[in-house]
Amino acid sequence: MANEPMMPDDQVPLLRLPYVRDTLSDPRRRTAFINHMQLRNFSSILHGEQGALNLSASLCHVLKDQGAQEYAANQTREEARHVTAFAMYVRSRWGRPVECSAALKALLVEIIEAPEVYKKIVGMQMLVEGLAMGAFAQGFRHSRDPLARKLFQLVMTDEAFHHKFGKIWADRTIPHLSEAERAIVEDWTAHCAQKLFFDRGAPNQMAEMFEPFGLDPQRVVEAIAERRKARDPGMRITNETNIFRVLIKTLLKAGLITERTRSFYALYVDLDELRAEGDRMVGDDIAEEGIRYLQEINFKDGARPVSIAAE
């Protein structure tokens, strides 16, 4: 951990800032910075999984369909497994996680405490799980830690089904809403997405982490602001593992982006391009490879593989 950066430099956005890159020119200091950023990322994932555990447990109390209740109970078991796995990983690498960011904490609390089922399913199964699938896919592809890559893949074998449950709910629910009901769901979805876009990576939420590495927090914030101003306003996110692109594709395929809210999401991605990509998500191939890996373990004694129950 002292000598090996867990992610390559080009996957750490702050290192694209000349001030940050020059200040962290010493390889050991840069490695420490990269690995601390990974601590923050894994801590956010752990807090998100804990929120998903609480949310899926609460779904057992509000869903009326018995099959849906059984699904929610099974997801609760799987989320508990994820919390255990990420907690063990963080403990082995850093000792303990950092606190949940204010923006993510506020969103998780809002989703879990909401009495409306649509807020729970859209908020967790689509918004938070959409972010998670993007983050896991990115980590699987770029992490230099083989343990982290395998952890991401195995968690994705569960998360891919959680993600699909939200899509199934949307397919069976959204078309039957009245125009007024649909507007409420769309507006709340856009509200949550906006909070994630603007607050999740806000530099003022990370100020306390800059000083230990010799970085002036104010200068970092100013450098980020300058970079954003210089960015081409017509530029769209094209990286398929970008967490926000994965999130927007999730909402688009679920029918939660219409002409009413299209302009907000179009600031970030080419919606027509996303629509043409089909229904497969960036993490599906990774999850399917993980399922084959698990089948090799579970049926190594010659037993015949059977269909996955969730399919």
Side-chain angles (χ1 to χ4, degrees):
M1 290 293 287
N3 300 310
E4 295 290 334
M6 300 176 71
M7 293 288 279
D9 289 8
D10 62 4
Q11 294 301 311
V12 183
L14 286 171
L15 291 178
R16 299 171 195 161
L17 302 173
Y19 167 64
V20 175
R21 186 171 61 248
D22 294 344
T23 304
L24 300 176
S25 58
D26 176 69
R28 287 181 65 86
R29 178 184 280 187
R30 187 167 62 251
T31 294
F33 179 78
I34 291 173
N35 290 348
H36 184 74
M37 290 294 292
Q38 285 301 293
L39 166 60
R40 296 183 68 88
N41 290 341
F42 274 94
S43 296
S44 292
I45 290 171
L46 176 57
H47 294 308
E49 295 291 346
Q50 181 67 55
L53 171 60
N54 292 333
L55 182 280
S56 52
S58 73
L59 279 177
C60 296
H61 299 285
V62 297
L63 293 172
K64 295 183 178 180
D65 179 80
Q66 290 180 331
Q69 288 175 343
E70 181 182 3
Y71 169 82
N74 185 62
Q75 181 174 339
T76 303
R77 178 181 63 84
E78 292 175 344
E79 299 295 2
R81 185 167 62 203
H82 302 170
V83 170
T84 300
F86 281 111
M88 291 176 67
Y89 181 85
V90 170
R91 188 183 307 120
S92 70
R93 289 285 183 262
W94 296 281
R96 61 180 298 141
V98 297
E99 291 185 10
C100 188
S101 70
L104 179 59
K105 179 179 179 180
L107 180 61
L108 291 173
V109 170
E110 181 179 0
I111 294 170
I112 293 168
E113 292 185 347
E116 302 92 343
V117 174
Y118 79 84
K119 287 186 177 181
K120 294 180 180 293
I121 295 181
V122 173
M124 185 57 67
Q125 306 294 113
M126 296 183 183
L127 288 165
V128 177
E129 295 283 12
L131 281 176
M133 287 295 281
F136 296 161
Q138 192 169 37
F140 177 79
R141 291 189 176 179
H142 300 291
S143 176
R144 300 178 64 188
D145 180 2
L147 177 59
R149 288 199 302 273
K150 181 55 67 177
L151 174 57
F152 284 135
Q153 183 181 45
L154 294 180
V155 171
M156 288 175 77
T157 64
D158 291 336
E159 299 289 9
F161 290 117
H162 303 172
H163 202 238
K164 287 177 182 177
F165 178 81
K167 177 68 164 55
I168 292 169
W169 174 87
D171 289 343
R172 296 185 180 185
T173 305
I174 300 300
H176 302 291
L177 297 178
S178 68
E179 185 174 344
E181 290 171 332
R182 186 180 184 116
I184 291 173
V185 176
E186 288 177 11
D187 290 344
W188 185 82
T189 302
H191 154 74
C192 291
Q194 186 174 37
K195 287 182 67 68
L196 289 169
F197 291 167
F198 290 113
D199 294 345
R200 183 181 181 275
N204 62 318
Q205 290 192 33
M206 300 189 292
E208 76 281 358
M209 68 159 289
F210 296 132
E211 289 182 348
F213 297 95
L215 294 163
D216 179 349
Q218 186 58 37
R219 287 191 63 181
V220 176
V221 171
E222 291 172 356
I224 293 172
E226 287 297 318
R227 182 179 178 87
R228 287 176 176 173
K229 284 195 295 186
R231 182 179 297 164
D232 179 1
M235 186 174 68
R236 300 292 184 267
I237 301 171
T238 57
N239 178 9
E240 67 171 356
T241 61
N242 179 279
I243 57 176
F244 297 127
R245 192 176 191 274
V246 175
L247 169 58
I248 294 173
K249 182 174 180 178
T250 299
L251 300 177
L252 180 67
K253 295 299 181 178
L256 289 169
I257 299 177
T258 61
E259 291 303 316
R260 291 182 61 259
T261 55
R262 178 185 176 91
S263 59
F264 165 67
Y265 299 100
L267 292 171
Y268 305 97
V269 299
D270 184 330
L271 293 173
D272 293 331
E273 179 182 86
L274 280 185
R275 195 181 301 279
E277 287 181 358
D279 289 336
R280 287 190 68 79
M281 301 299 294
V282 66
D284 288 348
D285 291 338
I286 301 170
E288 288 172 6
E289 183 182 338
I291 289 173
R292 288 192 292 270
Y293 168 79
L294 292 174
Q295 286 177 331
E296 290 176 6
I297 295 174
N298 293 333
F299 303 106
K300 64 183 179 181
D301 295 328
R304 180 176 175 271
V306 296
S307 297
I308 303 299
E311 294 179 321

